[in-house]
Amino acid sequence: MLNTPDVMSDDQLVASIATLTGRARDATAALVAHLAELERRDLHHAMGFKSLYGYCRTILHLSEHESYNRMEAAGVARRFPVIVPMLAEGLLHLTAVSLLGPHLVNENHLALLGGSIHKSKREVEALLARWFPKAEAAPSIRRLPVTSDVAPPTGDLCAGSGDASGDARSASANAIAPAVGSPLSATDGAPRNAAVVTPAPAAVRPARPAEPAPVAVDRYRVKFDASAAMIERLREAQELLSHSVPSGDMAEIFDRALIALLEKARLRKRAATTRPGSGRVLTPASRTVPAAVERQVWARDGGRCAFVGRAGRRCEERRLIEFHHVKPWAVGGPATTENIALRCRAHNAYEEAVYFGPIRAARGEAALS
């Protein structure tokens, strides 16, 4: 199977991937069930492991993330065996089971498991926030400790150094945790128990921005590290806005700053304005998309990629959105509302390759002949 994908047709390749995904789900569900039974029999203890996590890391050679999720799923499956067929059918993923596990009891497990069917990690977190709202954190600024890069520990897992209660569940300290309703407070010194985190290597693809964690209905907790210069700007903003925001509430100030930033970004990105002008007169051959066309296209396409795949599925991407000539500008496509559509960067490049790829290939073959 590993050597055949390159000779498959498109339909065969897609069908084969669906089949393999089903097999992978069956295998994952079966593995979770077997690990649950192994844990029930205490076989991991008999083999010298403090937890199932160490067994998965050392004997099965799974990654830290894989080991933790399967350990958590096995524990939940022992209490609620219904999750095994749900994993096999693709109704739940392991991350959802890990998130739900600490909250499941006999009285709520059917509702929580049912509400998490086909849900993403973010959606499961929002579901849990509705069921189990957390108290809002008081805003604070803390100076992070100055540390050198330290490699993560690599001790003997049989002795428990690789247990999930250690590095698998550690979290980095935050510099700012804004919330509504309290004035700014500053605390010198490093927080105790702050984790030392080794910087991750640069990603080849741009990483998605971190998502705020929901803590209750319509409430989110935001955490990030800030530079000294940013803290100075924040304090200056608190001083300048002391008449309208006398509490110095960081959440209110950040919200006002975002509103002002978005007004400029919308104007630059999609020509959004409440007072549109007449605009420049552009020649039919101009590649520039008129502001009026940008506004109309953005509203029509809903600010997201309008590419529709073979099966009729529309792309849902909202980041790195670009204005795309349906009929390429290079072959006379005009910058009109009918010929301009929104595309994410990936689909913009894809359609360019689909249109011009055969032309470039033909030119290359002609040059070689």
Side-chain angles (χ1 to χ4, degrees):
M1 287 296 295
L2 294 179
N3 297 324
T4 57
D6 57 329
V7 298
M8 292 180 178
S9 68
D10 291 353
D11 291 340
Q12 289 173 330
L13 179 62
V14 171
S16 180
I17 289 174
T19 300
L20 292 171
T21 300
R23 293 177 185 172
R25 287 171 176 160
D26 288 339
T28 297
L31 176 59
V32 167
H34 282 68
L35 289 174
E37 180 61 18
L38 182 141
E39 187 177 43
R40 187 189 70 80
R41 299 184 188 185
D42 278 341
L43 291 181
H44 58 297
H45 288 156
M47 287 184 279
F49 292 97
K50 176 183 176 181
S51 70
L52 197 59
Y53 176 85
Y55 172 82
C56 291
R57 284 286 295 120
T58 304
I59 303 300
L60 304 184
H61 302 293
L62 299 178
S63 70
E64 289 84 350
H65 181 74
E66 290 172 320
S67 299
Y68 177 77
N69 275 351
R70 282 153 183 78
M71 177 190 69
E72 293 287 292
V76 179
R78 288 183 60 188
R79 295 187 291 128
F80 305 103
V82 69
I83 77 157
V84 174
M86 294 184 77
L87 286 171
E89 295 173 23
L91 301 178
L92 294 176
H93 48 77
L94 288 173
T95 301
V97 174
S98 296
L99 291 170
L100 293 168
H103 304 280
L104 295 178
V105 293
N106 289 331
E107 292 76 17
N108 68 18
H109 78 281
L110 291 177
L112 284 175
L113 291 174
S116 300
I117 290 176
H118 294 156
K119 294 294 192 294
S120 66
K121 175 185 175 182
R122 189 192 315 175
E123 291 170 328
V124 173
E125 289 175 334
L127 172 69
L128 290 174
R130 292 195 297 271
W131 276 70
F132 310 100
K134 300 177 183 177
E136 293 187 5
S140 65
I141 293 181
R142 299 184 295 180
R143 182 176 298 150
L144 290 176
V146 179
T147 59
S148 58
D149 293 348
V150 179
T154 57
D156 181 8
L157 288 178
C158 294
S161 62
D163 188 10
S165 60
D167 54 287
R169 288 175 178 164
S170 64
S172 60
N174 60 289
I176 295 184
V180 177
S182 299
L184 172 66
S185 63
T187 304
D188 291 333
R192 290 177 292 180
N193 302 324
V196 178
V197 180
T198 303
V204 176
R205 296 181 182 180
R208 281 190 172 274
E211 289 292 336
V215 295
V217 177
D218 196 33
R219 306 301 298 168
Y220 289 80
R221 182 158 297 156
V222 181
K223 298 181 180 180
F224 57 88
D225 295 348
S227 66
M230 180 179 175
I231 296 302
E232 287 302 315
R233 287 191 288 270
L234 173 60
R235 290 191 171 120
E236 183 180 0
Q238 289 177 310
E239 294 165 359
L240 294 175
L241 296 174
S242 57
H243 287 89
S244 56
V245 189
S247 66
D249 177 30
M250 286 191 286
E252 174 69 17
I253 290 173
F254 276 113
D255 190 38
R256 292 191 179 200
L258 283 173
I259 291 172
L261 175 65
L262 285 173
E263 288 180 358
K264 292 184 177 180
R266 288 166 181 158
L267 179 60
R268 182 180 67 252
K269 184 66 179 178
R270 53 186 173 96
T273 178
T274 56
R275 295 179 295 177
S278 57
R280 293 177 295 168
V281 178
L282 302 174
T283 63
S286 174
R287 189 167 191 167
T288 302
V289 180
V293 172
E294 288 186 352
R295 287 191 291 271
Q296 293 169 10
V297 170
W298 194 277
R300 182 196 67 203
D301 293 347
R304 60 189 177 97
C305 179
F307 178 86
V308 178
R310 298 178 184 177
R313 181 190 181 279
R314 177 177 172 177
C315 178
E316 298 291 331
E317 186 57 56
R318 293 180 177 274
R319 298 186 70 240
L320 299 177
I321 295 299
E322 301 170 350
F323 290 96
H324 166 77
H325 287 71
V326 178
K327 179 182 179 181
W329 172 83
V331 293
T336 60
T337 304
E338 294 73 24
N339 193 55
I340 299 296
L342 296 185
R343 294 290 187 272
C344 63
R345 181 165 294 176
H347 278 125
N348 201 358
Y350 169 76
E351 292 198 77
E352 189 271 345
V354 168
Y355 191 95
F356 290 104
I359 298 174
R360 295 190 184 106
R363 288 177 177 173
E365 292 175 359
L368 294 175
S369 62

